[in-house]
Amino acid sequence: MCYPRAMSAKEEIDKLTSELKVYQDKYYKEGVSLVSDSEYDRLSDRLAALEKEHPDLMHPDSPTLRVGSDLTNDFPEVRHTIPVLSLDKAYSDAAVLDFFSKSIEKEGGVLSFAAEEKIDGISMVLYYEDGLLVRAVTRGNGEIGNDVTANIMTIRSVPLRLSESVDIAVRGEVFIRKEDFERLNASEPDESKRAANPRNLAAGAVRRQKSSEARLVPMDIFCYEGFWQDKGRTPSDHIAILSELKRLGFQINPHLSFFAQSKADAEKRLEEAGLDGDGYAFSEIDSYIRKKTAERGTLPYEIDGLVFKINELDVRDRFGYTEHHPRWAIAYKFESPQAEAKLLGITVQVGRTGRITPVAEITPTKLGGSTIRRATLHNQEYINELELAIGDTVSISKRGDVIPAVEAVIDKNEDGNTTYRLPPLCPCCGTTIVQVGGLQYCPNYSCPDQVRGRISYFASSDQMDIATLGPKTVAVLYDAGLLRSIEDIYTADFSSACGLPGIGEKSIQALEEGIRESLGRPFALVLSSLGVAEIGKKGAQMLISGGFDTIDKLIEASKEGRTEAFTSIAGIGETIAESIIKAFRSPELLSTIEALRAAGLHLDASLDKEEESSEQIFSGQVWCITGSFRTFNPRSKALKEIEKRGGRTVSSVTGKTTHLLSGEGGGSKRAEAERLGVRIVDEDEFLSMIGQKAAEGKGDGQLLLF
Ligand code: IVH
């Protein structure tokens, strides 16, 4: 552009500000673009650059505030200057009617009531000074909330400057339309990162670290209460407040209803206030609730109830408040598949990867046919989003019908408890908890909870499927010092575990058998059982078909930091590649791998094939093993050879045992085999049996029986 003289920074900022505001207004209010997108971006970038250089010249309602910034939000705590209360609840038509009649009786005169949709979103208080938005604060504990202004400024329907220069606090609900929620969630490829519902998505967006990211979530707001600093400016009733809020520039929910003595009277009052809405007579409450309940699913946003409020402000003043609720309003809650419970406490779990998970301990609550006592709280961020404190009443749902989750705070506690904070130290080992990308971790690889978790995961039925080695047995064996790592599974002598709580001779036998059987599991399963966070079953398959068909290839590529060797596999991105590399460089994992190699586990996919193709010469036979061997060290290697060929292996000689493979120093088992007439095979014979497998075939195996 060419100007007769160079503009001062102030002039340019002023000019760009007003130009961009016109473009924004035209676009968002009328859907008309006065300039191309690229021209708009150019002007906006120029304004942002100038504002950065001259922050003192920036307009408090600058259009660049809508764009957000990359600065990290820290959400400081601020004290509310208005009481931020929640509503008492009603669960039936009768309870609402009761509220109406008791209020009228108490007042002893004519009253009217506004009825609004109870938006299922995030409660927000917008503070304006001289008509300018100065602060947007979450509800918090009702007295102190978090300042989330930068993120809220990105919401188009939040006015940055009002049509009049007033000091006012406005309550509203931030929400996301169902359609936007579906679209945004569908575009998130990682299913575990998808929000469960629009409210959760909004809760996350309100607290995004960068407002430039919050802007990308299409949040909206409906405002429903106004508190003027100058009481003299306060309108005389609720519908006049809504009308005034609308005039000032706030978005009001158009689905407003109004109850008066007669329908005609109600409609007249709405019209006088200049508001759209439906008028009803008191006698129509039942049909109104039925109508709204039926309409609920068709609305473009989620509502979880209806709010009935006395319209006359002087009556509101007379009725006043209980400690937590206004006496002049009530929330009718729709029935929902969720249950309500009280949060008794929060326990902190340490997972196998060190991930710290807060768990809600709740009053026992029936939901979906079972009684729930605990529900996940995911992480600190989730607790912050809910502004959850001990003693709060919460709603619980079963997500995907499996893991119960705390969905929302329904009522704040009356004990003055504020938002719960995770302890700074790992509750298991006392190590300082670290923060990694919004999650909390105990960084101590030897943390007992992590060790037990890793072993249990390795042995679980979904992974290596080691019979009887469930979390309880793992804990007992851990405490006894027998099982302190995954590799201990294959080297420990479990015979000394006999007599430990819940462990008898039979369970030791079953355990030893389970361990032996696990030796033949395919490489993919071994890989996914190691507990590397990024390598689940699918990940292991992807790596193997992507060329990493031996553990050595994984170790090698990680050692050399060849990220591209991983990222060239479809579905593996940079972040995952880097964590895999980090894992396969860690001395702890490497030493586990070496121990598993020595035990004879499959660390090479070609071994799986070999196994599959081995002739089943020992099929139908039951082998026991005793003593030590030259060739098979550790002994588990011999067991593998037997199982590979279809034989079953057991840990003691019984009447069912068909063969005893006997090495150096086999004592009591050998004697027992002799007594029972079990065929005794020494190392050389065994070697020749497996060496001649092709020539002798299956039949010979059977022959040896007799
Ligand atoms: S009036 C003092 N109106 O529901 C008046 N609340 O427990 C307080 N809500 O925290 C609220 N839609 O976050 C009111 N039309 C509406 C509402 C509404 C949703 C939320 C709000 C409040 C909670 C009530």
PDB file of all heavy atoms in Angstrom, residues 85-87 89 116-120 122-123 139 171-173 224-225 307 309 321 326 328 410, ligand 1:
ATOM      1  N   LEU A  85     -22.548 -20.130  41.896  1.00  0.00           N
ATOM      2  CA  LEU A  85     -23.226 -21.261  42.539  1.00  0.00           C
ATOM      3  C   LEU A  85     -23.762 -22.230  41.500  1.00  0.00           C
ATOM      4  O   LEU A  85     -23.899 -21.895  40.334  1.00  0.00           O
ATOM      5  CB  LEU A  85     -24.383 -20.732  43.384  1.00  0.00           C
ATOM      6  CG  LEU A  85     -23.996 -19.678  44.420  1.00  0.00           C
ATOM      7  CD1 LEU A  85     -25.231 -19.117  45.085  1.00  0.00           C
ATOM      8  CD2 LEU A  85     -23.057 -20.281  45.458  1.00  0.00           C
ATOM      9  N   SER A  86     -24.060 -23.427  41.985  1.00  0.00           N
ATOM     10  CA  SER A  86     -24.732 -24.379  41.096  1.00  0.00           C
ATOM     11  C   SER A  86     -26.191 -24.486  41.529  1.00  0.00           C
ATOM     12  O   SER A  86     -26.627 -23.801  42.448  1.00  0.00           O
ATOM     13  CB  SER A  86     -24.020 -25.719  41.122  1.00  0.00           C
ATOM     14  OG  SER A  86     -23.990 -26.191  42.438  1.00  0.00           O
ATOM     15  N   LEU A  87     -26.921 -25.364  40.864  1.00  0.00           N
ATOM     16  CA  LEU A  87     -28.373 -25.395  41.074  1.00  0.00           C
ATOM     17  C   LEU A  87     -28.815 -26.632  41.847  1.00  0.00           C
ATOM     18  O   LEU A  87     -28.240 -27.709  41.695  1.00  0.00           O
ATOM     19  CB  LEU A  87     -29.075 -25.387  39.722  1.00  0.00           C
ATOM     20  CG  LEU A  87     -28.856 -24.139  38.870  1.00  0.00           C
ATOM     21  CD1 LEU A  87     -29.360 -24.368  37.458  1.00  0.00           C
ATOM     22  CD2 LEU A  87     -29.570 -22.939  39.498  1.00  0.00           C
ATOM     23  N   LYS A  89     -31.414 -29.674  42.431  1.00  0.00           N
ATOM     24  CA  LYS A  89     -31.931 -30.493  41.336  1.00  0.00           C
ATOM     25  C   LYS A  89     -33.297 -31.102  41.594  1.00  0.00           C
ATOM     26  O   LYS A  89     -33.647 -31.364  42.745  1.00  0.00           O
ATOM     27  CB  LYS A  89     -30.937 -31.621  41.038  1.00  0.00           C
ATOM     28  CG  LYS A  89     -29.780 -31.098  40.250  1.00  0.00           C
ATOM     29  CD  LYS A  89     -28.562 -31.941  40.382  1.00  0.00           C
ATOM     30  CE  LYS A  89     -27.325 -31.093  40.290  1.00  0.00           C
ATOM     31  NZ  LYS A  89     -27.039 -30.301  41.495  1.00  0.00           N
ATOM     32  N   GLU A 116     -35.098 -22.527  30.831  1.00  0.00           N
ATOM     33  CA  GLU A 116     -34.029 -22.565  29.829  1.00  0.00           C
ATOM     34  C   GLU A 116     -33.497 -23.979  29.694  1.00  0.00           C
ATOM     35  O   GLU A 116     -33.654 -24.802  30.595  1.00  0.00           O
ATOM     36  CB  GLU A 116     -32.866 -21.652  30.273  1.00  0.00           C
ATOM     37  CG  GLU A 116     -33.256 -20.197  30.370  1.00  0.00           C
ATOM     38  CD  GLU A 116     -32.206 -19.361  31.103  1.00  0.00           C
ATOM     39  OE1 GLU A 116     -31.168 -19.926  31.509  1.00  0.00           O
ATOM     40  OE2 GLU A 116     -32.439 -18.159  31.274  1.00  0.00           O
ATOM     41  N   GLU A 117     -32.824 -24.212  28.583  1.00  0.00           N
ATOM     42  CA  GLU A 117     -32.150 -25.503  28.425  1.00  0.00           C
ATOM     43  C   GLU A 117     -30.898 -25.496  29.301  1.00  0.00           C
ATOM     44  O   GLU A 117     -30.208 -24.476  29.382  1.00  0.00           O
ATOM     45  CB  GLU A 117     -31.748 -25.707  26.966  1.00  0.00           C
ATOM     46  CG  GLU A 117     -32.949 -25.913  26.075  1.00  0.00           C
ATOM     47  CD  GLU A 117     -32.630 -25.837  24.591  1.00  0.00           C
ATOM     48  OE1 GLU A 117     -31.600 -25.225  24.226  1.00  0.00           O
ATOM     49  OE2 GLU A 117     -33.413 -26.365  23.808  1.00  0.00           O
ATOM     50  N   LYS A 118     -30.647 -26.619  29.943  1.00  0.00           N
ATOM     51  CA  LYS A 118     -29.423 -26.723  30.740  1.00  0.00           C
ATOM     52  C   LYS A 118     -28.341 -27.296  29.821  1.00  0.00           C
ATOM     53  O   LYS A 118     -28.329 -28.488  29.514  1.00  0.00           O
ATOM     54  CB  LYS A 118     -29.651 -27.635  31.953  1.00  0.00           C
ATOM     55  CG  LYS A 118     -28.478 -27.654  32.902  1.00  0.00           C
ATOM     56  CD  LYS A 118     -28.871 -28.324  34.211  1.00  0.00           C
ATOM     57  CE  LYS A 118     -27.759 -28.326  35.213  1.00  0.00           C
ATOM     58  NZ  LYS A 118     -26.563 -29.032  34.779  1.00  0.00           N
ATOM     59  N   ILE A 119     -27.502 -26.413  29.357  1.00  0.00           N
ATOM     60  CA  ILE A 119     -26.482 -26.793  28.376  1.00  0.00           C
ATOM     61  C   ILE A 119     -25.419 -27.659  29.066  1.00  0.00           C
ATOM     62  O   ILE A 119     -24.943 -27.313  30.144  1.00  0.00           O
ATOM     63  CB  ILE A 119     -25.795 -25.530  27.793  1.00  0.00           C
ATOM     64  CG1 ILE A 119     -26.842 -24.545  27.254  1.00  0.00           C
ATOM     65  CG2 ILE A 119     -24.772 -25.892  26.728  1.00  0.00           C
ATOM     66  CD1 ILE A 119     -27.608 -25.022  26.063  1.00  0.00           C
ATOM     67  N   ASP A 120     -25.084 -28.760  28.429  1.00  0.00           N
ATOM     68  CA  ASP A 120     -24.083 -29.661  29.013  1.00  0.00           C
ATOM     69  C   ASP A 120     -22.704 -29.249  28.501  1.00  0.00           C
ATOM     70  O   ASP A 120     -22.195 -29.770  27.513  1.00  0.00           O
ATOM     71  CB  ASP A 120     -24.399 -31.100  28.599  1.00  0.00           C
ATOM     72  CG  ASP A 120     -23.591 -32.100  29.410  1.00  0.00           C
ATOM     73  OD1 ASP A 120     -22.905 -31.686  30.366  1.00  0.00           O
ATOM     74  OD2 ASP A 120     -23.655 -33.300  29.077  1.00  0.00           O
ATOM     75  N   ILE A 122     -19.214 -26.319  29.739  1.00  0.00           N
ATOM     76  CA  ILE A 122     -18.289 -25.882  30.775  1.00  0.00           C
ATOM     77  C   ILE A 122     -18.724 -24.505  31.257  1.00  0.00           C
ATOM     78  O   ILE A 122     -18.865 -23.573  30.467  1.00  0.00           O
ATOM     79  CB  ILE A 122     -16.852 -25.789  30.197  1.00  0.00           C
ATOM     80  CG1 ILE A 122     -16.439 -27.117  29.567  1.00  0.00           C
ATOM     81  CG2 ILE A 122     -15.842 -25.341  31.248  1.00  0.00           C
ATOM     82  CD1 ILE A 122     -16.448 -28.300  30.513  1.00  0.00           C
ATOM     83  N   SER A 123     -18.922 -24.414  32.556  1.00  0.00           N
ATOM     84  CA  SER A 123     -19.395 -23.167  33.143  1.00  0.00           C
ATOM     85  C   SER A 123     -18.302 -22.093  33.063  1.00  0.00           C
ATOM     86  O   SER A 123     -17.142 -22.372  33.374  1.00  0.00           O
ATOM     87  CB  SER A 123     -19.733 -23.450  34.606  1.00  0.00           C
ATOM     88  OG  SER A 123     -20.625 -22.505  35.086  1.00  0.00           O
ATOM     89  N   ARG A 139     -15.382 -22.033  36.689  1.00  0.00           N
ATOM     90  CA  ARG A 139     -16.131 -22.019  37.940  1.00  0.00           C
ATOM     91  C   ARG A 139     -15.222 -22.312  39.137  1.00  0.00           C
ATOM     92  O   ARG A 139     -15.357 -21.694  40.183  1.00  0.00           O
ATOM     93  CB  ARG A 139     -17.252 -23.059  37.895  1.00  0.00           C
ATOM     94  CG  ARG A 139     -17.989 -23.155  39.211  1.00  0.00           C
ATOM     95  CD  ARG A 139     -19.203 -24.048  39.116  1.00  0.00           C
ATOM     96  NE  ARG A 139     -18.825 -25.434  38.852  1.00  0.00           N
ATOM     97  CZ  ARG A 139     -19.696 -26.431  38.792  1.00  0.00           C
ATOM     98  NH1 ARG A 139     -20.973 -26.179  38.945  1.00  0.00           N
ATOM     99  NH2 ARG A 139     -19.295 -27.653  38.565  1.00  0.00           N
ATOM    100  N   ARG A 171     -22.438 -14.958  33.309  1.00  0.00           N
ATOM    101  CA  ARG A 171     -22.245 -16.412  33.356  1.00  0.00           C
ATOM    102  C   ARG A 171     -22.765 -17.048  32.078  1.00  0.00           C
ATOM    103  O   ARG A 171     -23.792 -16.646  31.548  1.00  0.00           O
ATOM    104  CB  ARG A 171     -22.997 -17.023  34.550  1.00  0.00           C
ATOM    105  CG  ARG A 171     -22.274 -16.791  35.854  1.00  0.00           C
ATOM    106  CD  ARG A 171     -22.823 -17.697  36.937  1.00  0.00           C
ATOM    107  NE  ARG A 171     -22.537 -19.116  36.661  1.00  0.00           N
ATOM    108  CZ  ARG A 171     -22.819 -20.091  37.504  1.00  0.00           C
ATOM    109  NH1 ARG A 171     -23.398 -19.819  38.659  1.00  0.00           N
ATOM    110  NH2 ARG A 171     -22.523 -21.341  37.207  1.00  0.00           N
ATOM    111  N   GLY A 172     -22.037 -18.020  31.612  1.00  0.00           N
ATOM    112  CA  GLY A 172     -22.464 -18.716  30.402  1.00  0.00           C
ATOM    113  C   GLY A 172     -21.895 -20.112  30.377  1.00  0.00           C
ATOM    114  O   GLY A 172     -21.124 -20.501  31.257  1.00  0.00           O
ATOM    115  N   GLU A 173     -22.288 -20.851  29.380  1.00  0.00           N
ATOM    116  CA  GLU A 173     -21.833 -22.229  29.250  1.00  0.00           C
ATOM    117  C   GLU A 173     -21.105 -22.371  27.927  1.00  0.00           C
ATOM    118  O   GLU A 173     -21.661 -22.090  26.861  1.00  0.00           O
ATOM    119  CB  GLU A 173     -23.069 -23.149  29.294  1.00  0.00           C
ATOM    120  CG  GLU A 173     -22.778 -24.566  29.631  1.00  0.00           C
ATOM    121  CD  GLU A 173     -22.606 -24.807  31.151  1.00  0.00           C
ATOM    122  OE1 GLU A 173     -22.630 -23.842  31.937  1.00  0.00           O
ATOM    123  OE2 GLU A 173     -22.412 -25.976  31.521  1.00  0.00           O
ATOM    124  N   TYR A 224     -26.351 -16.767  30.214  1.00  0.00           N
ATOM    125  CA  TYR A 224     -27.673 -16.876  30.843  1.00  0.00           C
ATOM    126  C   TYR A 224     -27.860 -16.080  32.130  1.00  0.00           C
ATOM    127  O   TYR A 224     -28.955 -16.061  32.674  1.00  0.00           O
ATOM    128  CB  TYR A 224     -28.038 -18.343  31.083  1.00  0.00           C
ATOM    129  CG  TYR A 224     -26.934 -19.184  31.677  1.00  0.00           C
ATOM    130  CD1 TYR A 224     -26.598 -19.061  33.019  1.00  0.00           C
ATOM    131  CD2 TYR A 224     -26.236 -20.091  30.892  1.00  0.00           C
ATOM    132  CE1 TYR A 224     -25.590 -19.828  33.563  1.00  0.00           C
ATOM    133  CE2 TYR A 224     -25.225 -20.866  31.437  1.00  0.00           C
ATOM    134  CZ  TYR A 224     -24.897 -20.733  32.776  1.00  0.00           C
ATOM    135  OH  TYR A 224     -23.905 -21.483  33.313  1.00  0.00           O
ATOM    136  N   GLU A 225     -26.817 -15.463  32.646  1.00  0.00           N
ATOM    137  CA  GLU A 225     -26.995 -14.623  33.841  1.00  0.00           C
ATOM    138  C   GLU A 225     -26.062 -13.420  33.731  1.00  0.00           C
ATOM    139  O   GLU A 225     -24.936 -13.554  33.225  1.00  0.00           O
ATOM    140  CB  GLU A 225     -26.643 -15.378  35.134  1.00  0.00           C
ATOM    141  CG  GLU A 225     -27.572 -16.516  35.511  1.00  0.00           C
ATOM    142  CD  GLU A 225     -28.947 -16.077  35.993  1.00  0.00           C
ATOM    143  OE1 GLU A 225     -29.070 -14.978  36.577  1.00  0.00           O
ATOM    144  OE2 GLU A 225     -29.903 -16.849  35.763  1.00  0.00           O
ATOM    145  N   VAL A 307     -33.586 -25.656  33.152  1.00  0.00           N
ATOM    146  CA  VAL A 307     -33.408 -24.820  34.337  1.00  0.00           C
ATOM    147  C   VAL A 307     -34.625 -23.910  34.480  1.00  0.00           C
ATOM    148  O   VAL A 307     -35.005 -23.230  33.522  1.00  0.00           O
ATOM    149  CB  VAL A 307     -32.126 -23.953  34.227  1.00  0.00           C
ATOM    150  CG1 VAL A 307     -31.902 -23.181  35.522  1.00  0.00           C
ATOM    151  CG2 VAL A 307     -30.918 -24.811  33.909  1.00  0.00           C
ATOM    152  N   LYS A 309     -36.192 -20.745  36.535  1.00  0.00           N
ATOM    153  CA  LYS A 309     -35.701 -19.642  37.368  1.00  0.00           C
ATOM    154  C   LYS A 309     -36.829 -18.654  37.630  1.00  0.00           C
ATOM    155  O   LYS A 309     -37.568 -18.301  36.697  1.00  0.00           O
ATOM    156  CB  LYS A 309     -34.593 -18.875  36.631  1.00  0.00           C
ATOM    157  CG  LYS A 309     -33.441 -19.715  36.187  1.00  0.00           C
ATOM    158  CD  LYS A 309     -32.497 -18.926  35.278  1.00  0.00           C
ATOM    159  CE  LYS A 309     -31.270 -19.767  34.952  1.00  0.00           C
ATOM    160  NZ  LYS A 309     -30.353 -19.088  34.013  1.00  0.00           N
ATOM    161  N   TYR A 321     -30.022 -17.400  49.048  1.00  0.00           N
ATOM    162  CA  TYR A 321     -29.246 -18.579  48.693  1.00  0.00           C
ATOM    163  C   TYR A 321     -29.076 -19.510  49.878  1.00  0.00           C
ATOM    164  O   TYR A 321     -29.037 -19.063  51.011  1.00  0.00           O
ATOM    165  CB  TYR A 321     -27.832 -18.158  48.259  1.00  0.00           C
ATOM    166  CG  TYR A 321     -27.820 -17.213  47.091  1.00  0.00           C
ATOM    167  CD1 TYR A 321     -27.939 -15.835  47.279  1.00  0.00           C
ATOM    168  CD2 TYR A 321     -27.683 -17.710  45.805  1.00  0.00           C
ATOM    169  CE1 TYR A 321     -27.928 -14.971  46.192  1.00  0.00           C
ATOM    170  CE2 TYR A 321     -27.668 -16.856  44.715  1.00  0.00           C
ATOM    171  CZ  TYR A 321     -27.794 -15.479  44.916  1.00  0.00           C
ATOM    172  OH  TYR A 321     -27.784 -14.650  43.842  1.00  0.00           O
ATOM    173  N   PRO A 326     -28.925 -21.165  44.677  1.00  0.00           N
ATOM    174  CA  PRO A 326     -29.933 -20.114  44.848  1.00  0.00           C
ATOM    175  C   PRO A 326     -31.272 -20.779  45.204  1.00  0.00           C
ATOM    176  O   PRO A 326     -31.541 -21.892  44.744  1.00  0.00           O
ATOM    177  CB  PRO A 326     -29.995 -19.455  43.464  1.00  0.00           C
ATOM    178  CG  PRO A 326     -29.366 -20.403  42.515  1.00  0.00           C
ATOM    179  CD  PRO A 326     -28.503 -21.345  43.287  1.00  0.00           C
ATOM    180  N   TRP A 328     -33.981 -19.601  44.299  1.00  0.00           N
ATOM    181  CA  TRP A 328     -34.934 -19.115  43.298  1.00  0.00           C
ATOM    182  C   TRP A 328     -34.835 -19.842  41.955  1.00  0.00           C
ATOM    183  O   TRP A 328     -35.390 -19.394  40.959  1.00  0.00           O
ATOM    184  CB  TRP A 328     -34.761 -17.608  43.099  1.00  0.00           C
ATOM    185  CG  TRP A 328     -33.312 -17.158  43.019  1.00  0.00           C
ATOM    186  CD1 TRP A 328     -32.569 -16.619  44.008  1.00  0.00           C
ATOM    187  CD2 TRP A 328     -32.451 -17.225  41.863  1.00  0.00           C
ATOM    188  NE1 TRP A 328     -31.294 -16.337  43.572  1.00  0.00           N
ATOM    189  CE2 TRP A 328     -31.198 -16.699  42.254  1.00  0.00           C
ATOM    190  CE3 TRP A 328     -32.610 -17.661  40.546  1.00  0.00           C
ATOM    191  CZ2 TRP A 328     -30.122 -16.598  41.374  1.00  0.00           C
ATOM    192  CZ3 TRP A 328     -31.531 -17.565  39.668  1.00  0.00           C
ATOM    193  CH2 TRP A 328     -30.306 -17.042  40.094  1.00  0.00           C
ATOM    194  N   ILE A 410     -21.232 -32.704  39.534  1.00  0.00           N
ATOM    195  CA  ILE A 410     -22.629 -32.293  39.565  1.00  0.00           C
ATOM    196  C   ILE A 410     -22.824 -31.269  40.671  1.00  0.00           C
ATOM    197  O   ILE A 410     -23.555 -30.302  40.532  1.00  0.00           O
ATOM    198  CB  ILE A 410     -23.534 -33.518  39.803  1.00  0.00           C
ATOM    199  CG1 ILE A 410     -23.407 -34.460  38.611  1.00  0.00           C
ATOM    200  CG2 ILE A 410     -24.974 -33.100  40.012  1.00  0.00           C
ATOM    201  CD1 ILE A 410     -24.101 -35.770  38.819  1.00  0.00           C
TER     202      ILE A 410
HETATM  203  S1  IVH B   1     -28.115 -20.849  35.930  1.00  0.00           S
HETATM  204  C1  IVH B   1     -27.120 -19.103  39.970  1.00  0.00           C
HETATM  205  N1  IVH B   1     -28.736 -21.563  33.489  1.00  0.00           N
HETATM  206  O1  IVH B   1     -25.578 -25.823  35.070  1.00  0.00           O
HETATM  207  C2  IVH B   1     -27.499 -19.624  38.655  1.00  0.00           C
HETATM  208  N2  IVH B   1     -26.993 -22.737  34.575  1.00  0.00           N
HETATM  209  O2  IVH B   1     -25.613 -26.631  38.396  1.00  0.00           O
HETATM  210  C3  IVH B   1     -26.627 -20.636  38.188  1.00  0.00           C
HETATM  211  N3  IVH B   1     -25.951 -24.473  33.200  1.00  0.00           N
HETATM  212  O3  IVH B   1     -23.044 -24.371  36.943  1.00  0.00           O
HETATM  213  C4  IVH B   1     -26.759 -21.247  36.917  1.00  0.00           C
HETATM  214  N4  IVH B   1     -27.162 -24.158  31.407  1.00  0.00           N
HETATM  215  O4  IVH B   1     -22.747 -24.389  34.450  1.00  0.00           O
HETATM  216  C5  IVH B   1     -27.946 -21.800  34.554  1.00  0.00           C
HETATM  217  N5  IVH B   1     -29.372 -22.061  31.322  1.00  0.00           N
HETATM  218  C6  IVH B   1     -28.585 -22.288  32.365  1.00  0.00           C
HETATM  219  C7  IVH B   1     -27.588 -23.285  32.337  1.00  0.00           C
HETATM  220  C8  IVH B   1     -26.819 -23.488  33.479  1.00  0.00           C
HETATM  221  C9  IVH B   1     -26.181 -24.858  31.936  1.00  0.00           C
HETATM  222  C10 IVH B   1     -24.937 -25.089  34.089  1.00  0.00           C
HETATM  223  C11 IVH B   1     -24.063 -24.105  34.799  1.00  0.00           C
HETATM  224  C12 IVH B   1     -24.254 -24.359  36.262  1.00  0.00           C
HETATM  225  C13 IVH B   1     -24.898 -25.709  36.277  1.00  0.00           C
HETATM  226  C14 IVH B   1     -25.931 -25.780  37.384  1.00  0.00           C
END
